Structure formats: C-alpha cells, structure tokens
Amino acid sequence: MQKELNVFFTIDENYIQHFTVALTSLLENNKDLVINVYLINDIADFSPFNYVLQYFQKKYQTSINLISIDGALFDQYTISRHVSKATYFRLLLADILPDHINSGLFLDSDLIVTNSLKELADTDLKDNYLMASHDFNLSDSIAWMNEIGFPTKKYFNAGVLLINLKKWREDNVSDKLMDIAQKFMGKLRWWDQDVLNIFFRNKWERFDEKFNSMNLTSKLLVTPTIIHYATGGKPWHYFNNHPYKKLYWKYIKLTPFKNAKPKDFSYTNVLRKNYRLLKKRFNIHA
C-alpha cells in the first residue's frame, strides 16, 4: 500500500501559474506516494481556472481539493514587496482544513521539488507542533525576536512546514496565532512567518536543509530535494540569475502554462541582459 502525504498550498489569483509548477514538480518526483492536494485560496470565482483542475486530474489522476477563504479577513494586515495577504492563510490551517487530516506538508508556491518526499511522509511528528528549517536571515531574525521580548536561538522559514494539525487543534493554535498577528502587526518584518515564530518559539524541530534550500548563489554538489526561490527575485523574472532557474522553466513545460514567458521579457531587455553579460565577461567598463 502506497504511503500518503497531505500537501497544502495557499495562493491568490496571481500565483496560479507558479502553483502549477510547484505541484507538477512534486507529482513528477513522487510517484511512489499518494499525494492529497489542498489549495487554499481567496479567488471569488475559480471557474476561469477549472482547466487547471482538469489538467491535473487527467494527467496525474490527482484531484485538487479547493478550500475557499475570505481574504477580507486579512485586509488590514501588513504586506509588502513580493508578498500578498495569502501568506497569512497559513495561520488558519488547522481550522480550515478538514478535521480528519491530522498532519501534512505546507509548501509555498515559489519552489521546486526535485526528489522524493517519502522521508517526510514517514516522519512521526510525535508531540511536536511542526518541523522546519532555519531561515536564511537567521541571525537578523533571531536578533529581532530578542528585541521584541522573545529570546531564542532558533528561527524557521515558513515556506516548507511539516505540521501536526491534530496538536494545533487541541491547543487552539489558530486563535492564538491571529491574536499574536493583531498584537504585533506594526512590528512584523516577515509577515505571518514572524507570527509563527513567536508562537512556536523553541517548540519546533528542525529537518534537513535539503527540504528547504534557500538563498543559493551557485549549484550544490547534490541538488536539494526542495529548492525554494525565497527572495524577491523569482525565476519567472527575465533578469533573475538563480542557479536553479532553469528547473522552473523545465517544469512549467509540463503545466497548462507551458507557453508562458518571463514577466519582464522584451526584446529591449534581451539586449540589455546580453550587454551586461558581455561587459562582465570581457571586463568592459562603460
């Protein structure tokens, strides 16, 4: 009997394309697992995107379970740069996912899965709230936590989380997270990730960095299992130079968005980019 893994995504309309890339990479590299997908979104009318649901059902025999949430709940919450209010949907996972789901893996949509996640599917969370990996801004984030009165030596990135939903429900975590968000809203730097770190301070376990590899400037000897494009520059931007950028474009060819182009693609930018490369290669000073 195949092992099952519940996987949760939270998106708004702007991230449909990137969600399909992340999901495709997950399914392509985890054919040894039964993947149950839950897509939490605030899209009022999903019917224009029904072709996405049909695509995954037909190609992978995978049903995407849609869970709608009222995005207005987070209208007053702080967002900035590349982040939307959909990031805060994570705070309510225990309440909005079906009660029979006791655990699962939360994934951001700006990532690629390159290998099997069976190790995570086999992990017993025991009495832990969650497992995660350290954030790439670790030292700065730890300093911030201490400044606001929460001494710690650990701070996790919320883009990949193995979650014990049963324990979250038992301890009424969703309400407590929302209370923290409202109390510290003016002080948050990394949105809901800060909220999660405040509540779960010193109450989470760490998994291997290969499951959430971030801030890469060159390729590694062994390709990480999950490559997280966690900074503002994304692989779908033409000028982005992430060492694993090509993997995004490899998997997009297997999605309904196979003909997509980089967001800032233009012939002018092609010339600009190649001019920059030539200057760098031949050490040309303008």
Side-chain angles (χ1 to χ4, degrees), residues 29 83 118 120 168 189 208 235 253 256 277:
N29 293 297
V83 171
K118 190 173 186 301
L120 293 182
W168 282 34
R189 302 184 316 157
D208 194 290
K253 297 300 182 185
L277 292 173

Side-chain angles (χ1 to χ4, degrees), residues 11-285:
I11 65 166
D12 60 16
E13 187 170 331
N14 295 320
Y15 259 70
I16 286 281
Q17 173 182 309
H18 315 311
F19 157 71
T20 67
V21 177
L23 179 56
T24 296
S25 70
L26 168 67
L27 297 174
E28 284 288 326
N29 293 297
N30 285 275
K31 295 178 180 178
D32 57 334
L33 296 176
V34 174
I35 305 291
N36 302 314
V37 182
Y38 295 85
L39 180 60
I40 301 161
N41 69 93
D42 65 345
I43 301 172
D45 180 11
F46 204 89
S47 58
F49 303 107
N50 281 343
Y51 68 93
V52 171
L53 309 182
Q54 295 162 4
Y55 181 89
F56 283 96
Q57 180 65 58
K58 181 177 180 180
K59 184 172 182 178
Y60 297 103
Q61 291 73 57
T62 297
S63 296
I64 299 175
N65 300 284
L66 293 180
I67 297 179
S68 297
I69 188 170
D70 183 3
L73 289 170
F74 303 96
D75 280 349
Q76 305 305 314
Y77 283 40
T78 301
I79 57 172
S80 58
R81 299 190 290 277
H82 60 284
V83 171
S84 73
K85 63 185 177 183
T87 190
Y88 289 105
F89 300 171
R90 269 181 290 215
L91 303 181
L92 297 177
L93 286 176
D95 287 358
I96 57 183
L97 286 164
D99 289 342
H100 69 271
I101 301 176
N102 291 324
S103 63
L105 182 67
F106 173 85
L107 294 177
D108 268 347
S109 295
D110 58 345
L111 55 74
I112 296 292
V113 179
T114 70
N115 212 326
S116 174
L117 297 180
K118 190 173 186 301
E119 182 179 336
L120 293 182
D122 288 337
T123 298
D124 184 357
L125 285 166
K126 299 179 182 177
D127 201 38
N128 295 314
Y129 283 108
L130 60 84
M131 293 184 71
S133 67
H134 279 150
D135 191 63
F136 61 91
N137 287 307
L138 183 61
S139 58
D140 287 346
S141 295
I142 287 176
W144 173 81
M145 288 279 287
N146 281 269
E147 285 173 10
I148 65 169
F150 295 95
T152 186
K153 294 182 180 179
K154 301 197 300 181
Y155 182 97
F156 61 83
N157 179 271
V160 181
L161 302 172
L162 190 61
I163 300 173
N164 186 341
L165 290 169
K166 183 173 183 291
K167 186 168 177 60
W168 282 34
R169 295 189 186 104
E170 289 172 350
D171 294 346
N172 197 26
V173 166
S174 293
D175 285 347
K176 295 173 182 177
L177 291 174
M178 294 293 281
D179 288 344
I180 291 171
Q182 292 168 13
K183 180 178 180 180
F184 290 94
M185 186 53 59
K187 297 181 179 179
L188 300 179
R189 302 184 316 157
W190 301 112
W191 318 287
D192 64 303
Q193 180 171 279
D194 286 341
V195 175
L196 293 165
N197 272 276
I198 290 172
F199 181 79
F200 295 117
R201 179 175 61 106
N202 302 326
K203 294 183 287 189
W204 60 279
E205 293 298 320
R206 186 179 175 188
F207 53 48
D208 194 290
E209 302 295 327
K210 69 181 180 181
F211 293 120
N212 190 3
S213 191
M214 301 166 285
N215 205 31
L216 299 174
T217 57
S218 61
K219 289 187 177 180
L220 305 179
L221 291 177
V222 178
T223 302
T225 302
I226 297 179
I227 297 168
H228 186 186
Y229 307 108
T231 59
K234 305 296 184 182
W236 52 85
H237 296 152
Y238 182 68
F239 284 105
N240 176 263
N241 59 357
H242 193 284
Y244 291 102
K245 176 178 181 176
K246 288 183 178 179
L247 283 180
Y248 176 88
W249 294 100
K250 168 188 173 181
Y251 287 108
I252 203 171
K253 297 300 182 185
L254 304 176
T255 77
F257 298 92
K258 62 183 179 180
N259 295 320
K261 294 288 190 297
K263 295 294 183 182
D264 50 346
F265 178 84
S266 69
Y267 291 112
T268 299
N269 282 342
V270 170
L271 292 173
R272 289 174 61 197
K273 185 173 184 178
N274 284 304
Y275 177 64
R276 290 181 185 178
L277 292 173
L278 286 171
K279 283 181 64 177
K280 184 176 181 180
R281 181 174 180 180
F282 295 106
N283 198 27
I284 299 172
H285 299 284

